[in-house]
Amino acid sequence: MTAAFDAFFMRMALREAEKAAADGEVPLGSVVVAPAVLEPAHDGHPPVFDCNPSMARILGRAHNMTEGLSDATAHAEMLALSSAFQTRGDWRLSGARLYVTKEPCPMCAGAIVLARLDAVVWGVSDPKRGGGTTFGIFDHPGINHHPAIVTGVLEDDAKALLQDFFRSRRAD
């Protein structure tokens, strides 16, 4: 995918994160997208995807709802994945990309691997609890699926949203 394609859907994830902040939740948002296929995989070649965001299908989107649902698993990624499973009618999300404003935690990273997503795109890395950078889940040799990873997409915007949220919480 192109940088413009990734930025388009990261902006959508940022809007979801803003909804979380408005609800008093940690501002994380996520979107699951299936790019349009121009040419299916054949003769050992991977599929060719359309890089036009308007041709992609949004399978699911969500924001953090752990406080509102009193559920430790109600992370933006988990909720967006659940929506995508329902939309697709399958637990396999091959061909899809997950956009999230902050690097997925180990729980979400595990769900991403199990869902067989093609790629995970995030804004801000999480050096303390990141499922990829800290725990190495996405590239662990013992797993059977390794999604492509794209980091730093609209990182400054995602970071500012988190910093503003926690700054305001400390001020209260």
Side-chain angles (χ1 to χ4, degrees):
M1 285 300 116
T2 66
F5 186 94
D6 287 342
F8 180 90
F9 289 106
M10 186 59 73
R11 281 188 205 89
M12 194 174 287
L14 285 165
R15 287 193 294 277
E16 287 295 324
E18 289 166 356
K19 292 177 190 176
D23 290 344
E25 303 274 358
V26 175
L28 297 178
S30 185
V31 179
V32 180
V33 176
V37 177
L38 289 175
E39 213 175 289
H42 61 88
D43 299 328
H45 297 288
V48 177
F49 295 102
D50 190 330
C51 292
N52 182 346
S54 67
M55 299 303 291
R57 180 175 182 210
I58 297 166
L59 300 176
R61 66 175 103 193
H63 56 276
N64 268 5
M65 296 181 70
T66 54
E67 299 295 334
L69 295 177
S70 298
D71 181 348
T73 68
H75 291 194
E77 303 95 307
M78 298 297 282
L79 297 171
L81 286 170
S82 289
S83 179
F85 299 144
Q86 289 178 2
T87 299
R88 189 169 268 183
D90 193 351
W91 61 267
R92 292 174 195 86
L93 298 176
S94 300
R97 297 169 76 79
L98 182 135
Y99 293 85
V100 62
T101 53
K102 186 174 76 62
E103 179 182 358
C105 73
M107 172 186 68
C108 295
I112 289 163
V113 168
L114 292 172
R116 311 291 196 272
L117 288 153
D118 280 9
V120 182
V121 182
W122 68 73
V124 177
S125 292
D126 185 349
K128 291 183 180 178
R129 290 176 297 277
T133 58
T134 302
F135 293 95
I137 292 170
F138 296 123
D139 58 2
H140 190 281
I143 61 173
N144 63 346
H145 177 74
H146 301 274
I149 304 298
V150 180
T151 65
V153 176
L154 300 184
E155 181 176 12
D156 292 340
D157 296 338
K159 187 175 185 178
L161 192 56
L162 285 163
Q163 288 175 333
D164 291 348
F165 175 79
F166 287 112
R167 199 173 291 127
S168 72
R169 299 288 275 205
R170 285 191 294 272
D172 290 344

